[in-house]
Amino acid sequence: MPSPYFWILARALRDFVETESGGQLPLSGKLPDMKSDTMNYIGLQKVYREKALSDFESVKKRVKGLIEGTDMVIPHETIEIFCKNASNLRVIQYRSLTENHVQPEKLGKL
């Protein structure tokens, strides 16, 4: 069962992607595997962390705006985990149980 916060978080993420990030998901902050010298790697790691924090703050601000006026409280950690794992979200479309158990020739009669 999804978190009761899922659709709020998904809406905040959508709004962030559509209006603020140029179509990009929030950066997770994890630096891709690469070859580099220590100084450049540390510098790039700092840039990734700062961008991830900036993206997280933007999404958090959107979440707060969406729940404003309600008694809902979404923990800071929940928003952070959602942002870090946004690239793993998938839309799965499936047929209902009725459609799966009805023979194809009977579907036209429903």
Side-chain angles (χ1 to χ4, degrees):
M1 170 169 252
S3 162
Y5 311 129
F6 177 80
W7 292 112
I8 302 283
L9 295 167
R11 172 67 186 269
L13 178 66
R14 184 195 75 181
D15 293 349
F16 170 78
V17 168
E18 288 181 352
T19 63
E20 192 170 337
S21 72
Q24 300 296 312
L25 291 170
L27 197 61
S28 70
K30 183 179 178 189
L31 190 60
D33 191 25
M34 58 181 269
K35 289 185 179 185
S36 177
D37 61 70
T38 304
M39 292 302 287
N40 285 324
Y41 186 84
I42 291 171
L44 192 54
Q45 192 175 41
K46 181 181 176 194
V47 170
Y48 264 68
R49 268 194 235 123
E50 288 172 357
K51 176 65 170 132
L53 182 58
S54 171
D55 289 352
F56 161 71
E57 291 296 334
S58 293
V59 173
K60 185 170 84 170
K61 181 179 174 185
R62 291 175 183 282
V63 168
K64 288 185 183 251
L66 290 169
I67 61 175
E68 189 175 330
T70 71
D71 60 350
M72 186 180 288
V73 176
I74 300 180
H76 170 93
E77 295 80 19
T78 301
I79 302 168
E80 184 177 23
I81 290 168
F82 192 84
C83 287
K84 284 183 178 181
N85 293 291
S87 64
N88 297 317
L89 291 173
R90 301 285 183 266
V91 174
I92 300 173
Q93 296 179 340
Y94 56 91
R95 297 185 306 181
S96 69
L97 290 174
T98 304
E99 291 171 332
N100 280 334
H101 288 72
V102 174
Q103 295 177 0
E105 62 272 3
K106 293 183 180 180
L107 282 176
K109 297 178 183 177
L110 292 178

PDB file of all heavy atoms in Angstrom, residues 10-45:
ATOM      1  N   ALA A  10       4.068  13.257  -5.204  1.00  0.00           N
ATOM      2  CA  ALA A  10       4.099  13.131  -6.667  1.00  0.00           C
ATOM      3  C   ALA A  10       3.689  14.441  -7.336  1.00  0.00           C
ATOM      4  O   ALA A  10       4.286  14.850  -8.337  1.00  0.00           O
ATOM      5  CB  ALA A  10       3.188  11.989  -7.116  1.00  0.00           C
ATOM      6  N   ARG A  11       2.696  15.113  -6.792  1.00  0.00           N
ATOM      7  CA  ARG A  11       2.257  16.399  -7.350  1.00  0.00           C
ATOM      8  C   ARG A  11       3.350  17.457  -7.197  1.00  0.00           C
ATOM      9  O   ARG A  11       3.627  18.223  -8.127  1.00  0.00           O
ATOM     10  CB  ARG A  11       0.975  16.857  -6.653  1.00  0.00           C
ATOM     11  CG  ARG A  11       0.518  18.262  -6.989  1.00  0.00           C
ATOM     12  CD  ARG A  11       0.079  18.364  -8.458  1.00  0.00           C
ATOM     13  NE  ARG A  11      -0.229  19.720  -8.817  1.00  0.00           N
ATOM     14  CZ  ARG A  11      -1.430  20.285  -8.720  1.00  0.00           C
ATOM     15  NH1 ARG A  11      -2.449  19.593  -8.265  1.00  0.00           N
ATOM     16  NH2 ARG A  11      -1.614  21.522  -9.077  1.00  0.00           N
ATOM     17  N   ALA A  12       3.981  17.514  -6.037  1.00  0.00           N
ATOM     18  CA  ALA A  12       5.068  18.470  -5.818  1.00  0.00           C
ATOM     19  C   ALA A  12       6.222  18.186  -6.776  1.00  0.00           C
ATOM     20  O   ALA A  12       6.809  19.114  -7.349  1.00  0.00           O
ATOM     21  CB  ALA A  12       5.546  18.410  -4.369  1.00  0.00           C
ATOM     22  N   LEU A  13       6.529  16.915  -6.979  1.00  0.00           N
ATOM     23  CA  LEU A  13       7.586  16.532  -7.911  1.00  0.00           C
ATOM     24  C   LEU A  13       7.229  16.944  -9.332  1.00  0.00           C
ATOM     25  O   LEU A  13       8.053  17.513 -10.055  1.00  0.00           O
ATOM     26  CB  LEU A  13       7.811  15.016  -7.839  1.00  0.00           C
ATOM     27  CG  LEU A  13       8.856  14.440  -8.785  1.00  0.00           C
ATOM     28  CD1 LEU A  13      10.243  14.952  -8.431  1.00  0.00           C
ATOM     29  CD2 LEU A  13       8.816  12.915  -8.742  1.00  0.00           C
ATOM     30  N   ARG A  14       6.009  16.676  -9.738  1.00  0.00           N
ATOM     31  CA  ARG A  14       5.565  17.066 -11.084  1.00  0.00           C
ATOM     32  C   ARG A  14       5.673  18.563 -11.287  1.00  0.00           C
ATOM     33  O   ARG A  14       6.189  19.040 -12.304  1.00  0.00           O
ATOM     34  CB  ARG A  14       4.134  16.610 -11.340  1.00  0.00           C
ATOM     35  CG  ARG A  14       3.685  16.914 -12.783  1.00  0.00           C
ATOM     36  CD  ARG A  14       2.207  16.810 -12.961  1.00  0.00           C
ATOM     37  NE  ARG A  14       1.605  17.995 -12.345  1.00  0.00           N
ATOM     38  CZ  ARG A  14       0.307  18.208 -12.301  1.00  0.00           C
ATOM     39  NH1 ARG A  14      -0.534  17.325 -12.788  1.00  0.00           N
ATOM     40  NH2 ARG A  14      -0.170  19.294 -11.747  1.00  0.00           N
ATOM     41  N   ASP A  15       5.202  19.320 -10.318  1.00  0.00           N
ATOM     42  CA  ASP A  15       5.271  20.779 -10.420  1.00  0.00           C
ATOM     43  C   ASP A  15       6.717  21.260 -10.507  1.00  0.00           C
ATOM     44  O   ASP A  15       7.032  22.157 -11.279  1.00  0.00           O
ATOM     45  CB  ASP A  15       4.572  21.435  -9.227  1.00  0.00           C
ATOM     46  CG  ASP A  15       3.063  21.206  -9.233  1.00  0.00           C
ATOM     47  OD1 ASP A  15       2.524  20.732 -10.256  1.00  0.00           O
ATOM     48  OD2 ASP A  15       2.430  21.497  -8.197  1.00  0.00           O
ATOM     49  N   PHE A  16       7.595  20.664  -9.724  1.00  0.00           N
ATOM     50  CA  PHE A  16       9.013  21.011  -9.756  1.00  0.00           C
ATOM     51  C   PHE A  16       9.598  20.746 -11.138  1.00  0.00           C
ATOM     52  O   PHE A  16      10.280  21.590 -11.714  1.00  0.00           O
ATOM     53  CB  PHE A  16       9.766  20.204  -8.686  1.00  0.00           C
ATOM     54  CG  PHE A  16      11.259  20.305  -8.774  1.00  0.00           C
ATOM     55  CD1 PHE A  16      11.926  21.424  -8.296  1.00  0.00           C
ATOM     56  CD2 PHE A  16      12.005  19.285  -9.344  1.00  0.00           C
ATOM     57  CE1 PHE A  16      13.308  21.524  -8.379  1.00  0.00           C
ATOM     58  CE2 PHE A  16      13.386  19.368  -9.426  1.00  0.00           C
ATOM     59  CZ  PHE A  16      14.039  20.496  -8.952  1.00  0.00           C
ATOM     60  N   VAL A  17       9.334  19.564 -11.673  1.00  0.00           N
ATOM     61  CA  VAL A  17       9.883  19.182 -12.979  1.00  0.00           C
ATOM     62  C   VAL A  17       9.341  20.072 -14.089  1.00  0.00           C
ATOM     63  O   VAL A  17      10.087  20.505 -14.969  1.00  0.00           O
ATOM     64  CB  VAL A  17       9.589  17.692 -13.274  1.00  0.00           C
ATOM     65  CG1 VAL A  17       9.888  17.336 -14.720  1.00  0.00           C
ATOM     66  CG2 VAL A  17      10.391  16.799 -12.330  1.00  0.00           C
ATOM     67  N   GLU A  18       8.050  20.384 -14.044  1.00  0.00           N
ATOM     68  CA  GLU A  18       7.432  21.161 -15.115  1.00  0.00           C
ATOM     69  C   GLU A  18       7.781  22.642 -15.088  1.00  0.00           C
ATOM     70  O   GLU A  18       7.818  23.280 -16.131  1.00  0.00           O
ATOM     71  CB  GLU A  18       5.909  21.004 -15.059  1.00  0.00           C
ATOM     72  CG  GLU A  18       5.433  19.642 -15.508  1.00  0.00           C
ATOM     73  CD  GLU A  18       3.925  19.513 -15.467  1.00  0.00           C
ATOM     74  OE1 GLU A  18       3.237  20.426 -14.944  1.00  0.00           O
ATOM     75  OE2 GLU A  18       3.427  18.477 -15.940  1.00  0.00           O
ATOM     76  N   THR A  19       8.020  23.203 -13.909  1.00  0.00           N
ATOM     77  CA  THR A  19       8.165  24.656 -13.840  1.00  0.00           C
ATOM     78  C   THR A  19       9.529  25.165 -13.403  1.00  0.00           C
ATOM     79  O   THR A  19       9.848  26.322 -13.645  1.00  0.00           O
ATOM     80  CB  THR A  19       7.114  25.260 -12.887  1.00  0.00           C
ATOM     81  OG1 THR A  19       7.339  24.755 -11.570  1.00  0.00           O
ATOM     82  CG2 THR A  19       5.711  24.943 -13.331  1.00  0.00           C
ATOM     83  N   GLU A  20      10.314  24.320 -12.781  1.00  0.00           N
ATOM     84  CA  GLU A  20      11.524  24.842 -12.160  1.00  0.00           C
ATOM     85  C   GLU A  20      12.822  24.200 -12.623  1.00  0.00           C
ATOM     86  O   GLU A  20      13.865  24.843 -12.627  1.00  0.00           O
ATOM     87  CB  GLU A  20      11.403  24.678 -10.641  1.00  0.00           C
ATOM     88  CG  GLU A  20      12.425  25.418  -9.861  1.00  0.00           C
ATOM     89  CD  GLU A  20      12.116  25.412  -8.388  1.00  0.00           C
ATOM     90  OE1 GLU A  20      10.944  25.234  -7.997  1.00  0.00           O
ATOM     91  OE2 GLU A  20      13.060  25.572  -7.614  1.00  0.00           O
ATOM     92  N   SER A  21      12.773  22.952 -13.023  1.00  0.00           N
ATOM     93  CA  SER A  21      14.017  22.226 -13.250  1.00  0.00           C
ATOM     94  C   SER A  21      14.334  21.971 -14.719  1.00  0.00           C
ATOM     95  O   SER A  21      15.228  21.193 -15.019  1.00  0.00           O
ATOM     96  CB  SER A  21      13.980  20.894 -12.510  1.00  0.00           C
ATOM     97  OG  SER A  21      13.072  20.013 -13.160  1.00  0.00           O
ATOM     98  N   GLY A  22      13.589  22.590 -15.604  1.00  0.00           N
ATOM     99  CA  GLY A  22      13.849  22.355 -17.017  1.00  0.00           C
ATOM    100  C   GLY A  22      13.574  20.922 -17.443  1.00  0.00           C
ATOM    101  O   GLY A  22      14.225  20.388 -18.325  1.00  0.00           O
ATOM    102  N   GLY A  23      12.596  20.287 -16.795  1.00  0.00           N
ATOM    103  CA  GLY A  23      12.225  18.920 -17.150  1.00  0.00           C
ATOM    104  C   GLY A  23      13.059  17.841 -16.488  1.00  0.00           C
ATOM    105  O   GLY A  23      12.902  16.665 -16.795  1.00  0.00           O
ATOM    106  N   GLN A  24      13.927  18.222 -15.566  1.00  0.00           N
ATOM    107  CA  GLN A  24      14.804  17.260 -14.893  1.00  0.00           C
ATOM    108  C   GLN A  24      14.281  16.924 -13.497  1.00  0.00           C
ATOM    109  O   GLN A  24      13.772  17.788 -12.798  1.00  0.00           O
ATOM    110  CB  GLN A  24      16.216  17.831 -14.766  1.00  0.00           C
ATOM    111  CG  GLN A  24      16.869  18.163 -16.085  1.00  0.00           C
ATOM    112  CD  GLN A  24      17.081  16.931 -16.945  1.00  0.00           C
ATOM    113  OE1 GLN A  24      17.588  15.924 -16.467  1.00  0.00           O
ATOM    114  NE2 GLN A  24      16.692  17.003 -18.200  1.00  0.00           N
ATOM    115  N   LEU A  25      14.450  15.665 -13.103  1.00  0.00           N
ATOM    116  CA  LEU A  25      14.106  15.251 -11.748  1.00  0.00           C
ATOM    117  C   LEU A  25      15.096  15.854 -10.757  1.00  0.00           C
ATOM    118  O   LEU A  25      16.197  16.249 -11.149  1.00  0.00           O
ATOM    119  CB  LEU A  25      14.152  13.727 -11.648  1.00  0.00           C
ATOM    120  CG  LEU A  25      13.063  12.979 -12.405  1.00  0.00           C
ATOM    121  CD1 LEU A  25      13.374  11.490 -12.412  1.00  0.00           C
ATOM    122  CD2 LEU A  25      11.699  13.238 -11.800  1.00  0.00           C
ATOM    123  N   PRO A  26      14.722  15.901  -9.483  1.00  0.00           N
ATOM    124  CA  PRO A  26      15.678  16.391  -8.483  1.00  0.00           C
ATOM    125  C   PRO A  26      16.937  15.516  -8.489  1.00  0.00           C
ATOM    126  O   PRO A  26      16.851  14.299  -8.628  1.00  0.00           O
ATOM    127  CB  PRO A  26      14.945  16.240  -7.154  1.00  0.00           C
ATOM    128  CG  PRO A  26      13.530  15.978  -7.478  1.00  0.00           C
ATOM    129  CD  PRO A  26      13.463  15.483  -8.877  1.00  0.00           C
ATOM    130  N   LEU A  27      18.047  16.145  -8.334  1.00  0.00           N
ATOM    131  CA  LEU A  27      19.313  15.417  -8.290  1.00  0.00           C
ATOM    132  C   LEU A  27      19.391  14.650  -6.975  1.00  0.00           C
ATOM    133  O   LEU A  27      19.072  15.184  -5.916  1.00  0.00           O
ATOM    134  CB  LEU A  27      20.471  16.406  -8.402  1.00  0.00           C
ATOM    135  CG  LEU A  27      21.830  15.852  -8.765  1.00  0.00           C
ATOM    136  CD1 LEU A  27      21.789  15.169 -10.132  1.00  0.00           C
ATOM    137  CD2 LEU A  27      22.851  16.978  -8.798  1.00  0.00           C
ATOM    138  N   SER A  28      19.802  13.394  -7.047  1.00  0.00           N
ATOM    139  CA  SER A  28      19.868  12.571  -5.833  1.00  0.00           C
ATOM    140  C   SER A  28      21.061  12.938  -4.957  1.00  0.00           C
ATOM    141  O   SER A  28      21.069  12.651  -3.776  1.00  0.00           O
ATOM    142  CB  SER A  28      19.964  11.083  -6.200  1.00  0.00           C
ATOM    143  OG  SER A  28      21.225  10.792  -6.760  1.00  0.00           O
ATOM    144  N   GLY A  29      22.067  13.557  -5.552  1.00  0.00           N
ATOM    145  CA  GLY A  29      23.266  13.907  -4.807  1.00  0.00           C
ATOM    146  C   GLY A  29      24.356  12.874  -4.928  1.00  0.00           C
ATOM    147  O   GLY A  29      25.479  13.088  -4.497  1.00  0.00           O
ATOM    148  N   LYS A  30      24.029  11.735  -5.525  1.00  0.00           N
ATOM    149  CA  LYS A  30      25.023  10.673  -5.700  1.00  0.00           C
ATOM    150  C   LYS A  30      25.808  10.955  -6.973  1.00  0.00           C
ATOM    151  O   LYS A  30      25.242  11.088  -8.059  1.00  0.00           O
ATOM    152  CB  LYS A  30      24.335   9.314  -5.795  1.00  0.00           C
ATOM    153  CG  LYS A  30      25.296   8.178  -5.907  1.00  0.00           C
ATOM    154  CD  LYS A  30      24.577   6.849  -5.978  1.00  0.00           C
ATOM    155  CE  LYS A  30      25.600   5.743  -6.152  1.00  0.00           C
ATOM    156  NZ  LYS A  30      24.951   4.470  -6.430  1.00  0.00           N
ATOM    157  N   LEU A  31      27.091  11.038  -6.827  1.00  0.00           N
ATOM    158  CA  LEU A  31      27.978  11.309  -7.950  1.00  0.00           C
ATOM    159  C   LEU A  31      28.147  10.035  -8.774  1.00  0.00           C
ATOM    160  O   LEU A  31      28.442   8.975  -8.229  1.00  0.00           O
ATOM    161  CB  LEU A  31      29.326  11.792  -7.419  1.00  0.00           C
ATOM    162  CG  LEU A  31      30.324  12.348  -8.406  1.00  0.00           C
ATOM    163  CD1 LEU A  31      29.758  13.563  -9.131  1.00  0.00           C
ATOM    164  CD2 LEU A  31      31.607  12.741  -7.693  1.00  0.00           C
ATOM    165  N   PRO A  32      27.969  10.129 -10.103  1.00  0.00           N
ATOM    166  CA  PRO A  32      28.152   8.938 -10.935  1.00  0.00           C
ATOM    167  C   PRO A  32      29.594   8.429 -10.853  1.00  0.00           C
ATOM    168  O   PRO A  32      30.518   9.191 -10.582  1.00  0.00           O
ATOM    169  CB  PRO A  32      27.861   9.436 -12.352  1.00  0.00           C
ATOM    170  CG  PRO A  32      27.203  10.757 -12.204  1.00  0.00           C
ATOM    171  CD  PRO A  32      27.584  11.293 -10.865  1.00  0.00           C
ATOM    172  N   ASP A  33      29.764   7.151 -11.094  1.00  0.00           N
ATOM    173  CA  ASP A  33      31.095   6.554 -11.078  1.00  0.00           C
ATOM    174  C   ASP A  33      31.925   7.161 -12.206  1.00  0.00           C
ATOM    175  O   ASP A  33      31.456   7.283 -13.333  1.00  0.00           O
ATOM    176  CB  ASP A  33      30.979   5.041 -11.261  1.00  0.00           C
ATOM    177  CG  ASP A  33      32.283   4.331 -11.001  1.00  0.00           C
ATOM    178  OD1 ASP A  33      33.121   4.878 -10.259  1.00  0.00           O
ATOM    179  OD2 ASP A  33      32.468   3.224 -11.538  1.00  0.00           O
ATOM    180  N   MET A  34      33.128   7.575 -11.874  1.00  0.00           N
ATOM    181  CA  MET A  34      33.972   8.223 -12.875  1.00  0.00           C
ATOM    182  C   MET A  34      35.424   8.183 -12.436  1.00  0.00           C
ATOM    183  O   MET A  34      35.726   7.930 -11.271  1.00  0.00           O
ATOM    184  CB  MET A  34      33.538   9.667 -13.071  1.00  0.00           C
ATOM    185  CG  MET A  34      33.597  10.482 -11.779  1.00  0.00           C
ATOM    186  SD  MET A  34      33.061  12.157 -11.959  1.00  0.00           S
ATOM    187  CE  MET A  34      34.594  12.947 -12.354  1.00  0.00           C
ATOM    188  N   LYS A  35      36.301   8.460 -13.369  1.00  0.00           N
ATOM    189  CA  LYS A  35      37.721   8.583 -13.045  1.00  0.00           C
ATOM    190  C   LYS A  35      38.042  10.063 -12.924  1.00  0.00           C
ATOM    191  O   LYS A  35      37.627  10.862 -13.758  1.00  0.00           O
ATOM    192  CB  LYS A  35      38.578   7.957 -14.140  1.00  0.00           C
ATOM    193  CG  LYS A  35      38.514   6.463 -14.185  1.00  0.00           C
ATOM    194  CD  LYS A  35      39.475   5.920 -15.194  1.00  0.00           C
ATOM    195  CE  LYS A  35      39.411   4.404 -15.187  1.00  0.00           C
ATOM    196  NZ  LYS A  35      40.413   3.818 -16.067  1.00  0.00           N
ATOM    197  N   SER A  36      38.764  10.400 -11.878  1.00  0.00           N
ATOM    198  CA  SER A  36      39.123  11.790 -11.649  1.00  0.00           C
ATOM    199  C   SER A  36      40.229  11.840 -10.603  1.00  0.00           C
ATOM    200  O   SER A  36      40.395  10.905  -9.821  1.00  0.00           O
ATOM    201  CB  SER A  36      37.898  12.576 -11.162  1.00  0.00           C
ATOM    202  OG  SER A  36      38.238  13.902 -10.867  1.00  0.00           O
ATOM    203  N   ASP A  37      40.917  12.969 -10.572  1.00  0.00           N
ATOM    204  CA  ASP A  37      41.858  13.142  -9.469  1.00  0.00           C
ATOM    205  C   ASP A  37      41.063  13.574  -8.242  1.00  0.00           C
ATOM    206  O   ASP A  37      39.914  13.991  -8.333  1.00  0.00           O
ATOM    207  CB  ASP A  37      42.956  14.163  -9.825  1.00  0.00           C
ATOM    208  CG  ASP A  37      42.389  15.529 -10.121  1.00  0.00           C
ATOM    209  OD1 ASP A  37      41.904  16.176  -9.168  1.00  0.00           O
ATOM    210  OD2 ASP A  37      42.427  15.945 -11.297  1.00  0.00           O
ATOM    211  N   THR A  38      41.660  13.463  -7.086  1.00  0.00           N
ATOM    212  CA  THR A  38      40.973  13.706  -5.822  1.00  0.00           C
ATOM    213  C   THR A  38      40.381  15.102  -5.719  1.00  0.00           C
ATOM    214  O   THR A  38      39.223  15.266  -5.322  1.00  0.00           O
ATOM    215  CB  THR A  38      41.931  13.454  -4.647  1.00  0.00           C
ATOM    216  OG1 THR A  38      42.435  12.124  -4.748  1.00  0.00           O
ATOM    217  CG2 THR A  38      41.229  13.617  -3.314  1.00  0.00           C
ATOM    218  N   MET A  39      41.137  16.117  -6.072  1.00  0.00           N
ATOM    219  CA  MET A  39      40.664  17.502  -5.933  1.00  0.00           C
ATOM    220  C   MET A  39      39.433  17.766  -6.800  1.00  0.00           C
ATOM    221  O   MET A  39      38.462  18.362  -6.341  1.00  0.00           O
ATOM    222  CB  MET A  39      41.780  18.482  -6.286  1.00  0.00           C
ATOM    223  CG  MET A  39      42.933  18.467  -5.292  1.00  0.00           C
ATOM    224  SD  MET A  39      42.410  18.833  -3.599  1.00  0.00           S
ATOM    225  CE  MET A  39      42.109  20.569  -3.739  1.00  0.00           C
ATOM    226  N   ASN A  40      39.469  17.324  -8.056  1.00  0.00           N
ATOM    227  CA  ASN A  40      38.323  17.530  -8.944  1.00  0.00           C
ATOM    228  C   ASN A  40      37.122  16.714  -8.493  1.00  0.00           C
ATOM    229  O   ASN A  40      35.976  17.178  -8.570  1.00  0.00           O
ATOM    230  CB  ASN A  40      38.682  17.197 -10.390  1.00  0.00           C
ATOM    231  CG  ASN A  40      39.534  18.262 -11.024  1.00  0.00           C
ATOM    232  OD1 ASN A  40      39.363  19.454 -10.754  1.00  0.00           O
ATOM    233  ND2 ASN A  40      40.469  17.852 -11.863  1.00  0.00           N
ATOM    234  N   TYR A  41      37.355  15.501  -8.031  1.00  0.00           N
ATOM    235  CA  TYR A  41      36.261  14.657  -7.566  1.00  0.00           C
ATOM    236  C   TYR A  41      35.571  15.295  -6.364  1.00  0.00           C
ATOM    237  O   TYR A  41      34.342  15.369  -6.309  1.00  0.00           O
ATOM    238  CB  TYR A  41      36.775  13.262  -7.198  1.00  0.00           C
ATOM    239  CG  TYR A  41      35.675  12.301  -6.852  1.00  0.00           C
ATOM    240  CD1 TYR A  41      35.001  11.605  -7.847  1.00  0.00           C
ATOM    241  CD2 TYR A  41      35.286  12.090  -5.526  1.00  0.00           C
ATOM    242  CE1 TYR A  41      33.974  10.731  -7.538  1.00  0.00           C
ATOM    243  CE2 TYR A  41      34.267  11.216  -5.200  1.00  0.00           C
ATOM    244  CZ  TYR A  41      33.620  10.541  -6.214  1.00  0.00           C
ATOM    245  OH  TYR A  41      32.596   9.680  -5.914  1.00  0.00           O
ATOM    246  N   ILE A  42      36.350  15.764  -5.412  1.00  0.00           N
ATOM    247  CA  ILE A  42      35.778  16.399  -4.219  1.00  0.00           C
ATOM    248  C   ILE A  42      35.010  17.665  -4.597  1.00  0.00           C
ATOM    249  O   ILE A  42      33.921  17.918  -4.082  1.00  0.00           O
ATOM    250  CB  ILE A  42      36.877  16.691  -3.177  1.00  0.00           C
ATOM    251  CG1 ILE A  42      37.392  15.373  -2.597  1.00  0.00           C
ATOM    252  CG2 ILE A  42      36.359  17.599  -2.066  1.00  0.00           C
ATOM    253  CD1 ILE A  42      38.627  15.510  -1.723  1.00  0.00           C
ATOM    254  N   GLY A  43      35.554  18.437  -5.513  1.00  0.00           N
ATOM    255  CA  GLY A  43      34.863  19.648  -5.967  1.00  0.00           C
ATOM    256  C   GLY A  43      33.540  19.329  -6.646  1.00  0.00           C
ATOM    257  O   GLY A  43      32.519  19.970  -6.387  1.00  0.00           O
ATOM    258  N   LEU A  44      33.555  18.321  -7.513  1.00  0.00           N
ATOM    259  CA  LEU A  44      32.332  17.925  -8.205  1.00  0.00           C
ATOM    260  C   LEU A  44      31.321  17.334  -7.226  1.00  0.00           C
ATOM    261  O   LEU A  44      30.114  17.578  -7.336  1.00  0.00           O
ATOM    262  CB  LEU A  44      32.662  16.914  -9.300  1.00  0.00           C
ATOM    263  CG  LEU A  44      31.568  16.592 -10.305  1.00  0.00           C
ATOM    264  CD1 LEU A  44      31.021  17.853 -10.956  1.00  0.00           C
ATOM    265  CD2 LEU A  44      32.086  15.635 -11.362  1.00  0.00           C
ATOM    266  N   GLN A  45      31.804  16.589  -6.258  1.00  0.00           N
ATOM    267  CA  GLN A  45      30.932  16.012  -5.235  1.00  0.00           C
ATOM    268  C   GLN A  45      30.210  17.121  -4.457  1.00  0.00           C
ATOM    269  O   GLN A  45      29.016  17.016  -4.167  1.00  0.00           O
ATOM    270  CB  GLN A  45      31.765  15.151  -4.294  1.00  0.00           C
ATOM    271  CG  GLN A  45      30.957  14.286  -3.371  1.00  0.00           C
ATOM    272  CD  GLN A  45      31.861  13.374  -2.564  1.00  0.00           C
ATOM    273  OE1 GLN A  45      32.920  13.802  -2.094  1.00  0.00           O
ATOM    274  NE2 GLN A  45      31.453  12.126  -2.407  1.00  0.00           N
TER     275      GLN A  45
END
